[in-house]
Amino acid sequence: PNAIVQYSSPDLTCTDGSADSYQWGYDAAGTLDSTLIPGATSQTYSLALPEFGSRYYWVITSHGGCLQKAYYNLPPALTVANAVVGNFEFSLFPNPASRKINVDVKGLDGNGDISVKLFDMLGREMQGCLLVAGRGEINVADLSPGVYSVVLVKDGMKVGAKTFVKN
């Protein structure tokens, strides 16, 4: 099930009531460093003095060992820009992979750098590369097995994302 985080003062609530476990936390606005909130392990987290301007709150739910991270308010680095970029193709291969992933983007031109950033499920940037002629390569050999988000960034705005599985 897809978890959604809702806020009704003073509580953050995860809509997924069937998770095996919950862990609440937040990312700092300036650095996106993740912090787990000790003892915040139920479906609802009471937040007497929310700091929505400086913190991006989230919950990690578990279902049979699979983890999902859902934000109440997404950091700008992880939100999808509403910029119209036209039709383009964005592919990752192989997926899943154990050593490296190749990135191929076709039909996304214009001025400015096009980069790829790889984030873990806690929202931490783990790797990245600049595209050259629409192609790039990310070494994933040292990453822990799991699910990662690969984000395509053009002129500082997120224009696409795909999920990648590390074996």
Side-chain angles (χ1 to χ4, degrees), residues 12-29:
L12 286 169
T13 302
C14 176
T15 59
D16 179 1
S18 65
D20 298 332
S21 67
Y22 304 88
Q23 176 60 64
W24 291 92
Y26 60 88
D27 295 345

Side-chain angles (χ1 to χ4, degrees), residues 35-116:
T35 300
L36 297 177
I37 301 171
T41 57
S42 63
Q43 185 179 355
T44 300
Y45 172 62
S46 186
L47 192 59
L49 297 171
E51 297 178 44
F52 294 129
S54 62
R55 295 180 176 177
Y56 304 107
Y57 293 95
W58 44 259
V59 65
I60 296 175
T61 55
S62 170
H63 285 275
C66 294
L67 302 177
Q68 179 190 9
K69 183 177 186 181
Y71 280 88
Y72 172 67
N73 52 339
L74 275 173
L78 299 179
T79 58
V80 175
N82 289 327
V84 177
V85 294
N87 293 328
F88 67 94
E89 295 177 35
F90 171 27
S91 58
L92 302 174
F93 55 94
N95 188 7
S98 56
R99 294 198 175 109
K100 70 176 182 175
I101 54 173
N102 297 292
V103 181
D104 189 26
V105 177
K106 292 181 178 129
L108 183 61
D109 9 270
N111 299 325
D113 289 334
I114 300 173
S115 62
V116 180

